[in-house]
Amino acid sequence: MFTGIIESLGTIKRMDAVSGDVRLTIESDSLDFCDIKLGDSIATNGICLTVVDFGQNWYAVDVSRETLARTAMQNWSIGDTVNLEKAMLPTTRFGGHIVSGHVDDVGTITLMKKDARSIYIELQVPDSLKYYTATKGSITTDGISLTTNLVKDNIVCLNIIPHTAQRTNIDRHWYVGALVNIEVDVVARYLERLLLGNKDSLSPQASITEAFLAENGFMR
């Protein structure tokens, strides 16, 4: 479990093909390695990955085909900067929101512009995720806990303050057309499950739609 508050930045040092999937090696001079051990979870650009090897300032993780297919990792290259967050402790100050590190899909940045000292961003999420977003809700983007200022159909509007831009990989790797990892608020996932009941077991395509909400009295 994570909070979406980025601890440090890392650099992808190796990407090795291993029997059909990938082993990544990430190096960081700012991440605290003193309490890292084998089997620990580290969110890497929002993806919960398990440490399988580590050294003084690096760790290695194995990445499955499922993760490669569902995330923006397929576009990563050696030398890229990634956002890092170690799994939270029970004593951790909860500064963001509940983040599982299970990426739902990939979004595309469609607009970036200056807004006073902040950066205004419009992020297009897949149609399958748009009903999980809400104005003034939370969304995890490349592991960063962000507040959605406004939602327009499948466009999520965000404002990035200077501190966030400087402490994450936004300044280096976000641009119009860039693909980013998206994790929706876990509360929205469970709410859908409660509303659908057994319908998802009858049809793998079942989802919350405007018609479903109207049929069940949630819209007029």
Side-chain angles (χ1 to χ4, degrees):
M1 194 65 69
F2 308 92
T3 68
I5 303 300
I6 303 305
E7 292 184 58
S8 61
L9 295 174
T11 303
I12 299 173
K13 287 299 182 181
R14 294 179 61 96
M15 300 181 72
D16 299 313
V18 181
S19 301
D21 51 33
V22 173
R23 174 165 291 190
L24 284 181
T25 302
I26 295 98
E27 181 180 288
S28 176
D29 292 324
S30 55
L31 188 68
D32 184 2
F33 280 81
C34 70
D35 59 350
I36 290 178
K37 59 184 184 299
L38 292 180
D40 279 357
S41 296
I42 298 179
T44 307
N45 262 19
I47 309 168
C48 179
L49 297 172
T50 301
V51 175
V52 297
D53 196 7
F54 68 96
Q56 186 175 358
N57 68 339
W58 62 272
Y59 67 95
V61 294
D62 286 330
V63 183
S64 69
R65 294 183 184 182
E66 167 72 6
T67 299
L68 290 170
R70 291 289 293 265
T71 70
M73 188 182 292
Q74 55 195 284
N75 294 319
W76 292 3
S77 301
I78 293 174
D80 282 355
T81 302
V82 288
N83 300 317
L84 305 180
E85 182 189 356
K86 294 187 293 185
M88 65 182 296
L89 301 171
T91 55
T92 302
R93 180 172 291 169
F94 209 148
H97 71 283
I98 298 174
V99 177
S100 67
H102 303 156
V103 172
D104 292 296
D105 213 323
V106 173
T108 305
I109 296 173
T110 58
L111 177 65
M112 286 185 74
K113 65 179 183 180
K114 293 290 291 183
D115 183 10
R117 294 193 306 118
S118 297
I119 305 172
Y120 173 79
I121 291 176
E122 291 190 356
L123 174 66
Q124 181 178 326
V125 302
D127 286 341
S128 59
L129 295 185
K130 67 181 181 180
Y131 294 108
Y132 299 94
T133 62
T135 297
K136 299 306 179 184
S138 297
I139 192 168
T140 308
T141 309
D142 271 358
I144 310 165
S145 173
L146 296 172
T147 299
T148 56
N149 289 338
L150 181 67
V151 174
K152 302 180 293 186
D153 193 35
N154 66 337
I155 299 295
V156 175
C157 304
L158 308 165
N159 265 81
I160 311 298
I161 63 173
H163 176 81
T164 301
Q166 294 161 8
R167 292 292 298 265
T168 66
N169 67 354
I170 291 175
D171 277 344
R172 307 182 193 188
H173 289 293
W174 286 25
Y175 54 87
V176 173
L179 301 180
V180 293
N181 295 321
I182 299 295
E183 180 186 335
V184 298
D185 194 335
V186 66
V187 175
R189 290 195 199 138
Y190 283 108
L191 179 59
E192 179 189 47
R193 175 64 173 165
L194 287 169
L195 289 173
L196 285 175
N198 292 325
K199 291 189 177 182
D200 64 333
S201 64
L202 299 175
S203 170
Q205 303 302 319
S207 62
I208 300 295
T209 63
E210 289 185 14
F212 176 89
L213 292 173
E215 178 184 344
N216 288 273
F218 291 93
M219 295 182 63
R220 294 182 179 179

